[in-house]
Amino acid sequence: MVGRARWNNILPVVFVMYTIAYFDRSNFGIALPYITRDLHLTATQAGLTAGVFAWGYSATQLIAGWLALKMGSRNVIGVALLLWGFGAMGTGLATNLWELAAMRVILGLFEGPVFAAAAILLSQWFMKQERGRAFGIWNLSSPVGAFLAGPISGFVLAHYDWRLMMVVEGLPAWIWAALWWWRIPKSPAAARWLAPAERDLVERANAEEQARFVPAKAPRWWAVLVDPIVLSSFAGFALHNLLINGFQVWLPSHLKTFPELSPFAIGLIAGLPFLVGIPGLYWVSWHSDRHGQERRLHAAIPMAATGALLIVAALIPPSLWWLQVALFVALGFPMKMHLPLVFARLVEIFPKEKAVPAVALVSALGNLFGGFVGPVLIGYLSQVTSGFTVPFIVLGVGSVLAGICVAAFRAGSERGSAPAVPGGTRALASVEPGTPSR
């Protein structure tokens, strides 16, 4: 019988782990106005220090799938927690542009493998019918981490400085590393708390899922480089990531131009879009699973909607700053809806030998483009246009195009809708061991 053991033991630990990861990359934007002042950086240099995180992040994401398959997802994430904690705390010790950039690269380098490793780990523990919800709950950690970084960092900055903020906020990664090794088993077979019937059902269902992909000749991993689904997913993910990273890094600096707002208020408002994104992520994951595991349009439409909202917000005059802030918060609702679905889609339509490099390629190169170009581009455009109207419009247009890219291609297996699972996880509880997962 299928119960709640996996949901109660695996997901919370993965959730907090990725919350810490996202917190440690998001707090930089809150501190950036103060770092810029103390280290005497230009807007373009500030954007560069924010963007170089993506170089380290993408470098290790490209090999994340290989690392996870060779070392095991559990081991990859456990080691990464220890090493990115060093990079997070080291950021607070930087004394010039190059030291700051180096710490940001190190932070990205050791956070890089975590997303793909977590996706592979969860696909091992959850069956296809559950995976949309499992990935969705896991990816709620992204807006939670981004939101918490706002008010917590704003509070610390209101009473101390950005250096202490970075050191203190980097410590949880080391603390959680110890709990990670203790709470995450090597595999379902090693989980003492998992009922044998449920363990057998999960392993059999996942084996049957992979068996459907076995061809006469195993596909070469580099086939992903020319697959239109992978290429369109990459283009959409990269363009939408341009918006997420540029918006996240520079929104606090834009809000600082409003004299009505204190440092704590700026941190709180900068985090609110990610807070309202939590119900959006939960809803889209649930809705996707309930409608035959449809992933493509459930990812594409929110991308385009986010871009449209940012364009409208950018055109609001400064005298109506409160309305602009309201739209900034509102666009957070659809902003990260795509995240679990883009990668769940790749895992589900490709065999593992192709899905692993596809996830690594889309995530690594998409994060490299969006994570580096976004902050640098917005920093440069804000410097030459003396404001954020044009930069935010550019981000919005890119995100509308992102939605079009993801919607443009669909796999043959997506042309017919898979049956929904009425009742979600409760319905799975009635599945007897040995019953096919679909």
Side-chain angles (χ1 to χ4, degrees), residues 22 53 81 123 143 175-176 191 204 208 215 217 235 238 246 313 316 318 322 341 368 373 404 413 421:
Y22 219 86
F53 168 90
L81 276 162
S123 68
I175 297 170
W176 205 252
R204 184 178 296 110
E208 290 174 356
K217 184 178 181 180
I316 299 295
W322 53 270
L341 303 178
L368 176 60
V373 176
I404 295 172
S413 59
V421 181

Side-chain angles (χ1 to χ4, degrees), residues 79-97:
V79 173
L81 276 162
L82 293 171
L83 295 177
W84 95 57
F86 166 76
M89 289 184 282
T91 302
L93 305 178
T95 60
N96 56 54
L97 169 65

Side-chain angles (χ1 to χ4, degrees), residues 53 55 58 78 105 113 120 161 250 283 291 357:
F53 168 90
W55 286 98
S58 300
V105 171
I120 294 169
D161 64 9
W250 286 105
W283 176 85
H291 288 73

